[in-house]
Amino acid sequence: MSDSSAFSGIALPSPTLSARLGEVAAHLAAPLADRLTEEQRALTLGIARRLVGEAAAALGARIDPAALWRDWLAQGLPGAERLAAPCFARAEEHRWRALPALHRDTSSPADGVSDADAADMPPAASQAPLAPVDQAYLDLTIADRRRFDALGNPCIAVADLDPEIYRALLGDVVEWQAHAGVDMNAVAELDDAACAAAARQAPESGIDAAAAVYHTALVAEGALSDAAAAAAMRHDWPALIGLAAAAHRRPYGEMALALVSAEAAALPPLLAPLRIDRGAIAPIEASLARVPARALAGAPEGEG
């Protein structure tokens, strides 16, 4: 594939990770021929299907998303190389986050009160505004929740997708509909709808913006390292990924894939901007080690 990562900045591709992303692209282009595990295949394909459905819905009711997906599933997804990295990153992040925590600190990120103790506390006054850090964390949580569908399946929120990839996907859907024999006026209307959908995405705020605000709020209070270490102890991976992404000024999905594919020795440099000590990195390393079939960034080709 010509651009296996579709990411910029952090150097993700190693021989193993590049090969794995190539397999994802091949799988999306020809879903019955790949070497991914069953879990990776199902998650990646499901995330791609939900993303295609979102693009179809953005173009209006005339698009039949089920027919579109059946056709693309049989023929191969156009732009599979563009979609491989974001879909694989979301799938790998989900596999990591779905692991049960062996040892987990359940204290609140805001006040250090455990979940059990919080149930016995009187409710806060409804009119009391949240502190900036607490509000930013809540916004990050909401942005993350948008990365799941109504049934709890992982997806990519449109606001979190690279604008160029989204525009290309919309164009692919329009082209598919054009080949279905609709008249030129209908195709022109779909082109206009695609432009409008792309324009609607531009001002949308997703998890990257929420993570950046949370990071800024913590830095302002001198609480970044403590919050990052607490997130690691709680296995609050969305908060940890978001803070690391904001600190590196990289997209959340790119940072998620960098962490999930990182060898143990690569974790300290990736997390260095958060200024957490080695003890706080230990639970991250232990959790990542339990993710099956990871594409390790430092492993020789053929391993991982």
Side-chain angles (χ1 to χ4, degrees), residues 4 11 34 49 68 85 100 164 179 228 237 240 253 261 277 300:
S4 61
D34 67 84
R49 176 177 61 80
L68 167 65
E164 292 186 9
H179 289 164
W237 305 136
L240 182 74
S261 64
D277 60 29

Side-chain angles (χ1 to χ4, degrees), residues 24-73:
V24 173
H27 170 60
L28 293 176
L32 298 182
D34 67 84
R35 291 168 288 176
L36 301 171
T37 67
E38 181 69 24
E39 183 183 33
Q40 288 171 318
R41 181 170 68 248
L43 279 171
T44 302
L45 201 60
I47 289 165
R49 176 177 61 80
R50 286 182 279 278
L51 183 58
V52 168
E54 286 283 341
L59 295 180
R62 73 178 64 211
I63 303 291
D64 182 347
L68 167 65
W69 182 252
R70 284 195 301 270
D71 191 37
W72 280 3
L73 192 63

Side-chain angles (χ1 to χ4, degrees), residues 58-156:
L59 295 180
R62 73 178 64 211
I63 303 291
D64 182 347
L68 167 65
W69 182 252
R70 284 195 301 270
D71 191 37
W72 280 3
L73 192 63
Q75 303 297 325
L77 272 67
E81 292 187 359
R82 294 190 302 267
L83 296 175
C87 290
F88 186 63
R90 184 70 185 92
E92 291 297 273
E93 178 204 352
H94 183 74
R95 293 200 311 131
W96 178 23
R97 291 172 57 177
L99 291 174
L102 295 178
H103 303 286
R104 183 174 185 170
D105 179 354
T106 58
S107 62
S108 162
D111 56 20
V113 178
S114 70
D115 293 340
D117 292 339
D120 298 326
M121 294 179 64
S126 58
Q127 69 272 21
L130 290 175
V133 166
D134 297 341
Q135 183 63 58
Y137 180 81
L138 176 61
D139 292 342
L140 177 65
T141 302
I142 293 171
D144 180 56
R145 183 62 188 86
R146 294 189 181 116
R147 302 166 67 244
F148 295 86
D149 69 6
L151 299 177
N153 299 308
C155 63
I156 298 173

Side-chain angles (χ1 to χ4, degrees), residues 21 28 30 68 78 91 134 157 177 191 196 211 229-230 245 248 261 296 304:
L21 289 174
L28 293 176
L68 167 65
D134 297 341
Q177 185 72 354
D191 281 331
H248 280 284
S261 64
L296 295 174

Side-chain angles (χ1 to χ4, degrees), residues 238-254:
L240 182 74
I241 295 168
L243 290 175
H248 280 284
R249 292 181 173 83
R250 301 300 182 217
Y252 179 101
E254 179 181 322

